[in-house]
């Protein structure tokens, strides 16, 4: 693809875009009286116009049926969560029986660590990325303390090399090998939230298994953004939220994956609740927990149907658009953004933007993180004034995520014009 930094080029790209009509299915926030350029779908995805109807349908059924809605509403609440694994199979790369929609992300991380982090006297370490998302750091630290261990000894963080921003796969693998039999769990993000780096999940899972450890991933920034093959990559477990690329609303219900090889092992330790209990006999309320032999066996509570209705509205759009098309457009958009940023740098006497997201296509998703070597605050301020929503991370990183379902090539072009205008004025 020969990119051009011109309005005419973006008009052509947008006209040729097979997903162009999907933008109309979302509410684009209006800021300062103008339709915004929304580049923060990695933080909170936009609302589909169908969401309200899906939620109102459930509110109406509640009004009309009361408790009878559990079994007799249009989409009975008793089994509402069963609508999701089929829709998420392509997005997560898992079999339906390996996927369950429940709780929130950090809660699911804790539930899965309860099962897959069982430290003993010899095998007790967790290997993770340095500077993981804070909630993940706190979850890991508190799990370690819960087992009476010292986080300084039990948590091994892998850092980028001196002067680098991203991790090297061979450094991760080496760390796992070095700690060998003392490793109980390898737990990484699918994508680092700060740099946008996609980790080589297959290689990490393989290295973990070679030393006899379990391997899990937090897919918060990966689900709905990059190609995932949790089953084929032999990952033991994963969890994700639904409100970032999956557009399912603030604090929306989250998801979890547990590999096929573990789901029928009903003896695996876990925290239990009635919704994880064998469905046929759940309401007999017998003593003794009998888990469902699928990922559903990790459920605790009955399903948050209103939040799930919003999730369903969003996932129906993913199904219509097709994950393959979404991935293809995502690549074109982020490649175009990198092209524009290179053009801006090349037109300056000295480079002012350092892209800290990897250049290799397989190592990034929609997000591009720009380390501003100069004028970072002025650029960010100008973006705000022009109704561009991007994200500022201290000390001087601007994260932007052009999302294939609702962003356009023109959005990227306009963004480039604003950045360039600030960097070229003295
Ligand atoms: C967004 C995000 C979270 C947020 O956790 P919640 O439990 O949904 O509040 C956690 N971890 C990562 C890696 C994230 O990107």
């Amino acid at each position: 693809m020969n990119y051009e930094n011109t309005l005419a080029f973006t008009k052509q790209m947008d006209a040729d875009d097979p997903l162009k009509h999907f933008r109309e299915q979302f509410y684009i926030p209006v800021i300062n009286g103008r339709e915004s350029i929304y580049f923060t779908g990695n933080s909170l995805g936009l609302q589909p116009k169908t969401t309200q109807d899906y939620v109102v349908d459930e509110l109406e059924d509640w009004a009309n049926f009361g408790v009878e809605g559990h079994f007799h509403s249009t989409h009975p609440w008793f089994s509402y969560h069963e609508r999701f694994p089929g829709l998420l199979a392509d997005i997560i790369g898992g079999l339906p029986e390996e996927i369950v929609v429940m709780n929130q992300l950090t809660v699911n991380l804790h539930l899965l660590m309860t099962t897959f982090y069982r430290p003993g006297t010899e095998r007790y370490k967790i290997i993770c990325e340095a500077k993981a998302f804070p909630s993940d750091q706190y979850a890991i630290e508190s799990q370690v303390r819960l087992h009476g261990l010292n986080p300084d000894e039990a948590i091994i963080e892998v850092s980028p090399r001196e002067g680098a921003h991203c991790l090297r796969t061979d450094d991760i693998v080496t760390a796992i090998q070095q700690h060998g039999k003392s490793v109980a769990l390898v737990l990484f993000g699918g994508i680092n939230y700060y740099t946008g780096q996609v980790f080589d999940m297959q290689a990490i899972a393989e290295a973990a298994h070679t030393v006899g450890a379990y391997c899990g991933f937090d897919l918060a920034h990966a689900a709905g953004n990059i190609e995932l093959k949790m089953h084929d990559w032999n990952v033991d477990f994963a969890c994700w939220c639904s409100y970032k690329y999956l557009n399912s609303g603030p604090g929306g219900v989250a998801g979890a994956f547990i590999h096929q090889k573990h789901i029928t092992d009903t003896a695996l330790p876990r925290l239990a609740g009635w919704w994880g209990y064998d469905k046929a006999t759940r309401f007999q309320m017998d003593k003794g927990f009998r888990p469902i032999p699928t990922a559903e066996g990790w459920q605790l509570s009955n399903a948050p149907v209103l939040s799930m209705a919003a999730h369903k509205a969003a996932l129906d759009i993913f199904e219509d658009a097709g994950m393959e098309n979404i991935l293809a457009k995502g690549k074109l958009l982020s490649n175009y953004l990198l092209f524009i940023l290179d053009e801006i740098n090349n037109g300056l006497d000295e480079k002012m933007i350092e892209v800290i997201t990897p250049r290799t296509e397989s190592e990034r998703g929609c997000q591009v993180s720009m380390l501003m070597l100069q004028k970072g605050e002025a650029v960010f301020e100008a973006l705000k004034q022009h109704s561009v929503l991007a994200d500022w991370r201290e000390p001087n990183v601007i994260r932007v995520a052009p999302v294939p379902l609702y962003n356009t090539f023109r959005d990227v072009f306009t963004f480039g014009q604003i950045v360039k205008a600030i960097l070229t004025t003295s």
Side-chain angles (χ1 to χ4, degrees):
M1 174 74 62
N2 284 322
Y3 289 123
E4 290 169 32
N5 190 3
T6 64
L7 186 59
F9 174 78
T10 60
K11 280 187 176 166
Q12 193 59 50
M13 289 297 285
D14 287 329
D16 294 344
D17 170 15
L19 297 182
K20 65 184 166 197
H21 294 302
F22 282 89
R23 178 179 171 87
E24 298 152 17
Q25 297 190 29
F26 291 87
Y27 290 111
I28 313 287
V30 172
I31 294 175
N32 306 331
R34 242 185 322 225
E35 195 170 76
S36 60
I37 292 182
Y38 195 80
F39 280 167
T40 43
N42 56 345
S43 191
L44 183 70
L46 290 180
Q47 182 183 151
K49 290 178 179 166
T50 47
T51 302
Q52 290 187 27
D53 286 343
Y54 279 61
V55 175
V56 167
D57 283 350
E58 298 314 316
L59 288 171
E60 281 178 356
D61 276 358
W62 176 23
N64 293 329
F65 291 96
V67 71
E68 295 287 300
H70 279 299
F71 292 101
H72 301 299
S73 57
T74 321
H75 309 291
W77 307 323
F78 172 76
S79 52
Y80 201 94
H81 63 277
E82 293 172 11
R83 309 176 84 192
F84 296 102
L87 288 168
L88 284 161
D90 260 6
I91 295 172
I92 301 302
L95 306 172
E97 62 264 36
E98 294 173 320
I99 295 171
V100 61
V101 163
M102 59 180 189
N103 312 315
Q104 315 294 126
L105 169 55
T106 308
V107 173
N108 288 342
L109 191 57
H110 274 300
L111 292 181
L112 293 170
M113 286 180 77
T114 303
T115 296
F116 293 103
Y117 179 57
R118 312 290 309 165
T121 42
E122 272 175 50
R123 195 183 277 287
Y124 62 95
K125 290 178 188 165
I126 299 178
I127 298 205
C128 60
E129 72 210 271
K131 296 195 188 145
F133 191 90
S135 198
D136 300 46
Q137 292 184 36
Y138 308 146
I140 293 170
E141 184 192 318
S142 59
Q143 284 277 337
V144 164
R145 286 191 196 281
L146 201 60
H147 288 284
L149 297 169
N150 177 356
D152 292 338
E153 288 161 18
I155 302 172
I156 308 297
E157 294 186 346
V158 187
S159 302
R161 292 190 180 183
E162 185 76 28
H165 296 282
C166 293
L167 282 172
R168 289 170 49 148
T169 305
D170 45 343
D171 286 352
I172 300 171
V173 170
T174 304
I176 294 169
Q177 286 166 349
Q178 272 172 356
H179 292 275
K181 283 188 186 145
S182 66
V183 185
L185 173 65
V186 176
L187 181 59
F188 271 72
I191 295 186
N192 179 274
Y193 78 101
Y194 186 72
T195 62
Q197 177 184 18
V198 175
F199 294 115
D200 187 338
M201 290 172 252
Q202 186 172 18
I204 294 171
E206 195 185 314
H209 292 150
T210 303
V211 300
Y214 285 127
C215 181
F217 289 99
D218 180 333
L219 303 176
H221 280 261
N225 177 16
I226 58 167
E227 181 173 51
L228 294 170
K229 292 189 177 298
M230 288 299 112
H231 178 86
D232 290 350
W233 296 340
N234 203 16
V235 170
D236 295 292
F237 69 91
C239 46
W240 56 91
C241 55
S242 67
Y243 50 80
K244 290 173 178 165
Y245 293 96
L246 295 179
N247 307 322
S248 301
V253 67
F257 163 96
I258 298 129
H259 199 278
Q260 190 181 33
K261 63 190 173 184
H262 301 305
I263 51 180
T264 53
D265 184 357
T266 52
L268 273 178
R270 69 190 80 193
L271 293 176
W274 72 325
W275 229 246
Y277 191 93
D278 171 49
K279 284 178 214 181
T281 53
R282 182 184 293 159
F283 291 104
Q284 293 171 10
M285 313 266 187
D286 286 339
K287 241 183 146 37
F289 179 67
R290 296 219 331 247
I292 303 167
T294 70
E296 284 187 49
W298 272 261
Q299 293 175 113
L300 299 179
S301 297
N302 72 99
V305 166
L306 298 181
S307 171
M308 285 190 171
H311 196 26
K312 181 73 168 75
L315 292 185
D316 282 348
I317 295 178
F318 269 79
E319 191 181 37
D320 282 352
M323 202 54 209
E324 254 173 60
N325 296 324
I326 292 172
L327 295 172
K329 182 178 170 187
K331 287 208 163 74
L332 288 177
L333 274 176
S334 63
N335 282 336
Y336 186 51
L337 175 56
L338 291 175
F339 166 83
I340 299 266
L341 296 178
D342 286 345
E343 278 245 321
I344 295 173
N345 267 330
N346 292 339
L348 297 166
D349 294 335
E350 54 182 327
K351 180 167 147 180
M352 293 194 194
I353 307 165
E354 184 183 345
V355 172
I356 60 172
T357 307
R359 289 274 162 171
T360 315
E361 219 177 66
S362 59
E363 286 182 54
R364 63 183 148 82
C366 296
Q367 178 183 323
V368 172
S369 300
M370 305 154 50
L371 174 65
M372 300 307 295
L373 304 174
Q374 291 181 39
K375 297 191 186 172
E377 276 160 17
V379 167
F380 195 68
E381 195 48 46
L383 290 171
K384 271 201 276 194
Q385 276 166 18
H386 286 86
S387 313
V388 180
L389 276 156
D391 171 89
W392 176 265
R393 292 279 148 164
E394 293 298 336
N396 51 358
V397 167
I398 298 175
R399 300 187 308 167
V400 284
V403 171
L405 278 174
Y406 47 75
N407 284 122
T408 61
F409 291 88
R410 187 173 178 161
D411 283 346
V412 176
F413 170 78
T414 308
F415 170 83
Q417 295 288 304
I418 298 163
V419 173
K420 185 175 167 184
I422 300 299
L423 296 184
T424 49
T425 48
S426 46

